[in-house]
Amino acid sequence: MRSGRARPVGIDLARARSAVGDLLGALGRDTASEHLAETPRRVADALAELLTPRPFEMTTFPNDEGYDELVLVRDVPFHSLCEHHLLPFHGVAHLAYLPGERIVGLSKLARVLEHFSRDLQVQERLTQQVADLLQDRLEPRGVGVVLEAEHLCMSLRGVAVTGSRTVTSALRGTLREDPRSRAEFLALVGAGPVTRSYPS
């Protein structure tokens, strides 16, 4: 699996709870108050859940029928945490592949996305990680991934542009190299202008 970087080895909940308490204190909040006494525990537990992917197996099957057209799952909801501000970004993903010798259970496409989403992320990296794993494990003729997401670090702070969406794509194989296949994929997902994330 090419994830772009190693995952953390573990989560120290006691240390995380203490750190949240220190942060609240530094922000002028009284963690001894009845309303905030359990907040460090709740925040640490919530972050641990958001940063812990569920295990899954990338089960594939022989493409006995020789299906050779695009397989596309649209509008898969996802959420992740921006590594720059620790604020969520969320949206939908469109995941596609052109089968080669094997096919994959459709739910596994969403599970790949969830696996990489449960981390501190940037959308560009997340897009590439999903595409790379599908390409590596499935060995299809092509892979297409488009993510559309709203980033709360943009909509709640700074420029505060509520409702704006960032669109990224990662194309591999035929979906990158063949203009007609690429145009078909992008038309089916209705992505509009995209920022493509190609491997270096």
Side-chain angles (χ1 to χ4, degrees):
M1 177 190 308
R2 288 190 294 166
S3 63
R5 60 178 181 171
R7 280 194 174 275
V9 294
I11 294 175
D12 185 337
L13 278 175
R15 186 178 171 194
R17 291 166 185 167
S18 176
V20 174
D22 290 344
L23 176 61
L24 288 171
L27 294 173
R29 300 304 187 265
D30 179 12
T31 56
S33 75
E34 183 178 352
H35 300 291
L36 291 179
E38 290 299 313
T39 298
R41 177 188 60 80
R42 293 188 188 105
V43 171
D45 289 354
L47 288 172
E49 180 180 343
L50 292 172
L51 296 174
T52 303
R54 294 182 293 179
F56 76 101
E57 292 294 327
M58 185 71 175
T59 309
T60 65
F61 308 93
N63 186 10
D64 292 332
E65 286 73 33
Y67 189 79
D68 62 358
E69 298 294 334
L70 193 66
V71 178
L72 169 66
V73 179
R74 286 189 48 167
D75 300 320
V76 179
F78 76 95
H79 58 80
S80 190
L81 283 175
C82 167
E83 70 179 7
H84 299 140
H85 298 95
L86 297 187
L87 288 172
F89 62 96
H90 62 95
V92 294
H94 314 297
L95 312 168
Y97 73 100
L98 278 169
E101 295 183 2
R102 301 191 70 80
I103 58 176
V104 66
L106 298 179
S107 67
K108 295 301 188 290
L109 298 177
R111 294 297 296 275
V112 170
L113 174 65
E114 182 199 46
H115 176 80
F116 289 116
S117 295
R118 287 178 176 252
D119 200 354
L120 299 179
Q121 277 288 9
V122 295
Q123 185 173 330
E124 295 88 343
R125 181 196 304 125
L126 176 59
T127 310
Q128 291 202 70
Q129 286 175 326
V130 173
D132 286 343
L133 188 139
L134 293 176
Q135 187 68 38
D136 290 347
R137 294 289 184 87
L138 195 53
E139 297 184 353
R141 291 179 294 122
V143 167
V145 175
V146 170
L147 303 187
E148 305 178 53
E150 180 176 0
H151 293 246
L152 296 191
C153 57
M154 284 182 60
S155 59
L156 296 182
R157 57 164 298 281
V159 293
V161 284
T162 302
S164 67
R165 288 197 157 209
T166 299
V167 181
T168 52
S169 76
L171 308 178
R172 305 288 185 262
T174 301
L175 291 181
R176 176 181 176 183
E177 297 160 3
D178 179 61
R180 290 177 299 176
S181 296
R182 182 171 63 247
E184 177 189 9
F185 167 65
L186 294 176
L188 286 173
V189 302
V194 295
T195 301
R196 294 192 177 86
S197 299
Y198 292 142
S200 55

